Amino acid sequence: MRSRLLIALALVGLCSCGRPLSGELFLASPRNSYDFPLTVVDSLALYDFAFYTRVDGDGSVWQPVRLDISWVAPSETVYRETVYMLTGAEHGTLQRYRSYVRFPAAGQWTLKVAVSPEVEGFRGLGLTWKEKRWDTTN
């Protein structure tokens, strides 16, 4: 009986050792650059990304902030773009950034974001990501 219990516990332990399929990281302000490290294991996988932030205040004034984004590949190749994010919700802002992103190479990527202007009360910038899984829940 004891050996069956140990085998069952070992199987549960092995099943829980898979790589994470999602993540979240918040970086407090002020910063010159908000750098988010991302380890890409499967270059065929698709990912969804969203930014979130919070600005102290009453939440009645919505302000756009510019996000100058640089994706730094493991090969040191840099991909750049600029997007805008509205801030000002009383309980914070969550805004989808990109969906169905496929990385051209596996390895350590860095998402660098410069925020301008950092509005008064800006608490920082967060990033969430999730690997798309192709099953009945998509």
Side-chain angles (χ1 to χ4, degrees):
M1 181 70 157
R2 183 173 171 91
S3 63
R4 286 185 184 172
L5 179 62
L6 289 175
I7 291 171
L9 288 174
L11 288 174
V12 169
L14 287 174
C15 292
S16 64
C17 292
R19 64 184 171 89
L21 300 176
S22 63
E24 177 179 336
L25 180 60
F26 181 81
L27 302 172
S29 68
R31 294 173 184 262
N32 291 331
S33 178
Y34 296 85
D35 296 353
F36 301 96
L38 300 166
T39 302
V40 176
V41 176
D42 183 0
S43 64
L44 296 178
L46 299 173
Y47 296 86
D48 290 343
F49 293 93
F51 288 114
Y52 64 96
T53 190
R54 181 169 179 176
V55 177
D56 290 338
D58 64 4
S60 64
V61 178
W62 288 84
Q63 299 178 339
V65 294
R66 177 181 165 150
L67 305 179
D68 292 314
I69 298 172
S70 299
W71 286 94
V72 182
S75 65
E76 300 299 321
T77 303
V78 178
Y79 304 91
R80 290 186 171 89
E81 70 177 324
T82 299
V83 297
Y84 293 84
M85 179 179 188
L86 281 176
T87 63
E90 183 177 349
H91 299 291
T93 302
L94 174 67
Q95 183 172 316
R96 184 179 317 164
Y97 165 52
R98 292 276 176 245
S99 295
Y100 296 96
V101 173
R102 177 173 286 146
F103 291 91
Q108 184 66 39
W109 286 73
T110 304
L111 175 61
K112 296 175 176 254
V113 182
V115 177
S116 64
E118 274 199 15
V119 296
E120 184 177 338
F122 188 78
R123 300 296 299 258
L125 186 67
L127 177 72
T128 65
W129 61 93
K130 181 179 180 188
E131 183 178 331
K132 299 295 276 183
R133 301 304 287 177
W134 295 107
D135 58 20
T136 58
T137 60
N138 283 344

